[in-house]
């Protein structure tokens, strides 16, 4: 049973290698690399020191380095520019990072009091364009609502479809296709409805 499963595994591996040789090559290179790293880690006689070293500095800024408590004065490996920077005083911040501009956040629920910028820069033009687009969208919505209100006032009372031209009785007027009623042109008359534009 174990021999049979081993043979099946062997046949699966050989068919995979034949079907995808690039993947098999990459997998074998990675396997050899992994075995080499494992061998290097196992057969190393003694651990070597790390390549990087740290220098502890205790300066007027109050920060203590990694080796500050071990008797290292912080002078080894430091440049004069670093020592000068450590000796200098900390400059005060030019702005308050936590100050809030209350013009942008009104507390009384009033509209935003943002000053209108009247420049010709790129972002000013983008802002104007977006404001113009929003106004156009609002105007379009208002226009569509007014058309829908006017169309709702149209009352289809009857339709007559025969061998001749179809007729419709709309708001008490007998109309044919192409006629105008209440600012709408009658495009098509069907059995139960009319289509206007």
């Amino acid at each position: 049973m174990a021999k049979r499963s081993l043979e099946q595994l062997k046949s699966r591996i050989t068919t995979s290698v034949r079907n995808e040789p690039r993947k098999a090559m990459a997998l074998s290179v990675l396997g050899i690399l992994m075995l080499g790293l494992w061998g290097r880690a196992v057969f190393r006689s003694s651990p070597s020191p790390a390549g990087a070293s740290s220098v502890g500095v205790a300066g007027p800024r109050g920060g203590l380095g990694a080796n500050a408590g071990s008797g290292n004065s912080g002078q080894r490996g430091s440049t004069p520019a670093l020592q000068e920077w450590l000796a200098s005083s900390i400059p005060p911040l030019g702005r308050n990072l936590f100050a809030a501009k209350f013009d942008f956040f009104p507390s009384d629920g009033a509209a935003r009091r943002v000053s209108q910028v009247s420049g010709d820069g790129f972002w000013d033009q983008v802002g104007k364009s977006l404001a113009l687009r929003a106004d156009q969208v609002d105007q379009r919505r208002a226009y569509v609502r007014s058309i829908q209100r006017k169309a709702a006032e149209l009352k289809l009372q009857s339709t007559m479809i025969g061998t001749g031209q179809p007729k419709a009785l709309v708001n008490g007027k007998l109309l044919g296709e192409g006629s105008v009623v209440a600012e709408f042109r009658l495009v098509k008359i069907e059995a139960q409805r009319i289509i206007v534009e």
Side-chain angles (χ1 to χ4, degrees), residues 12-152:
R12 261 198 242 158
I13 290 173
T14 54
T15 55
S16 296
V17 168
R18 285 186 196 134
N19 291 341
E20 299 176 15
R22 285 185 178 180
K23 287 183 182 178
M25 179 65 84
L27 183 62
S28 54
V29 167
L30 288 174
I32 291 170
L33 183 64
M34 185 176 64
L35 287 175
L37 290 174
W38 278 351
R40 185 176 175 192
V42 168
F43 295 116
R44 180 177 285 177
S45 61
S46 66
S48 63
S53 64
S54 63
V55 176
V57 176
R61 296 180 186 256
L64 294 176
N67 298 332
S70 62
N72 188 357
S73 65
Q75 300 296 326
R76 183 183 65 132
S78 61
T79 63
L82 178 62
Q83 291 299 321
E84 181 183 333
W85 179 78
L86 286 172
S88 67
S89 63
I90 299 173
L93 290 175
R95 62 188 174 99
N96 186 357
L97 297 176
F98 301 103
K101 293 185 179 182
F102 293 109
D103 289 341
F104 294 116
F105 308 104
S107 60
D108 59 350
R112 287 177 60 173
R113 297 181 299 272
V114 180
S115 61
Q116 296 294 329
V117 179
S118 61
D120 288 331
F122 173 75
W123 292 111
D124 298 328
Q125 291 177 0
V126 169
K128 289 176 187 176
S129 174
L130 290 175
L132 180 64
R133 175 81 175 137
D135 290 342
Q136 288 174 348
V137 167
D138 290 342
Q139 289 174 357
R140 173 84 177 151
R141 286 181 183 155
Y143 179 68
V144 168
R145 280 194 298 266
S146 71
I147 288 177
Q148 288 173 341
R149 266 194 314 272
K150 289 178 184 176

